[in-house]
Amino acid sequence: MKLSPKMKKALNDQIALEASASNSYLAMASWCEVTGYQGSANYFYAQSDEERTHMLKIVHFVNSLGSAPTIPAIKAPTSSYKSLENLIKTALKSEQAVTAAIHKMVEISQKEKDHSTYAFLEWFVNEQVQEETKFETILQKFDLLGRDKLGINEIDKYLASEAAAPEADPAA
Ligand code: FEO
């Protein structure tokens, strides 16, 4: 089967979005590291790697259909944040944008009766539910544990334990 030009463009744009998420999480990790939030830094370094694997999944899928993707240039991400909470809010917003883009691709695949791409995207639909929940849970912690030094330290420890925990595969 062959990708329609519209589907191919959407997948290509998604490659750029995942690459940009990877870069942006790398910048967040680096900010956390220099600010002294080591647990959060570990979390975002891992998150950055994860986004790269998402990008690669799409590259391999497009290649498997004999339709070479264009590897995009990536804009430099923001590298300074007002606070850890502000950083997590930015991460959640970025995941919400990714979810919207994935849902748009699902709609295109449905409209075009492109069953292969539709099936391929199912993993991403489930993954996005997990991704948004992860960041929402972290944001809740600021209300639960507080925003003073002790609270932030607890949140940083929570992120360290999350970074050490194996990620559940949404397909499993
Ligand atoms: Fe690949 Fe977090 O979206």
Side-chain angles (χ1 to χ4, degrees):
M1 72 144 258
K2 226 171 137 32
L3 288 169
S4 75
K6 189 172 181 178
M7 194 76 253
K8 183 175 174 186
K9 168 151 192 343
L11 286 161
N12 241 311
D13 290 348
Q14 194 63 31
I15 290 170
L17 207 52
E18 302 288 350
S20 139
S22 176
N23 235 16
S24 157
Y25 288 145
L26 179 59
M28 289 181 185
S30 174
W31 181 87
C32 289
E33 194 166 39
V34 292
T35 311
Y37 302 144
Q38 193 54 52
S40 310
N42 293 349
Y43 184 89
F44 279 101
Y45 280 124
Q47 191 68 36
S48 172
D49 286 347
E50 200 183 307
E51 296 302 345
R52 184 174 156 76
T53 68
H54 296 172
M55 179 194 71
L56 286 173
K57 258 184 205 290
I58 306 170
V59 169
H60 293 317
F61 175 70
V62 175
N63 276 334
S64 75
L65 297 175
S67 185
T70 311
I71 304 304
I74 304 300
K75 262 194 5 207
T78 309
S79 56
S80 83
Y81 296 89
K82 281 199 290 256
S83 63
L84 186 58
E85 186 177 11
N86 170 255
L87 180 153
I88 306 286
K89 279 186 181 161
T90 307
L92 175 61
K93 258 195 217 140
S94 136
E95 289 302 335
Q96 287 164 339
V98 169
T99 302
I102 302 268
H103 289 181
K104 209 161 211 148
M105 284 198 293
V106 170
E107 283 162 29
I108 298 172
S109 70
Q110 283 171 323
K111 220 179 242 167
E112 295 185 349
K113 296 190 173 32
D114 177 348
H115 302 295
S116 311
T117 306
Y118 179 81
F120 168 71
L121 290 173
E122 193 188 347
W123 184 91
F124 285 87
V125 171
N126 294 328
E127 169 71 8
Q128 282 313 115
V129 175
Q130 278 188 13
E131 296 271 84
E132 286 194 27
T133 305
K134 270 190 337 196
F135 288 119
E136 281 161 358
T137 305
I138 301 167
L139 275 180
Q140 263 183 341
K141 303 268 177 217
F142 289 91
D143 287 331
L144 294 170
L145 299 168
R147 294 168 175 83
D148 59 5
K149 284 182 185 168
L150 281 177
I152 301 289
N153 192 44
E154 284 305 309
I155 293 167
D156 192 52
K157 277 202 259 178
Y158 169 73
L159 283 165
S161 68
E162 284 294 294
E167 173 89 4
D169 187 336

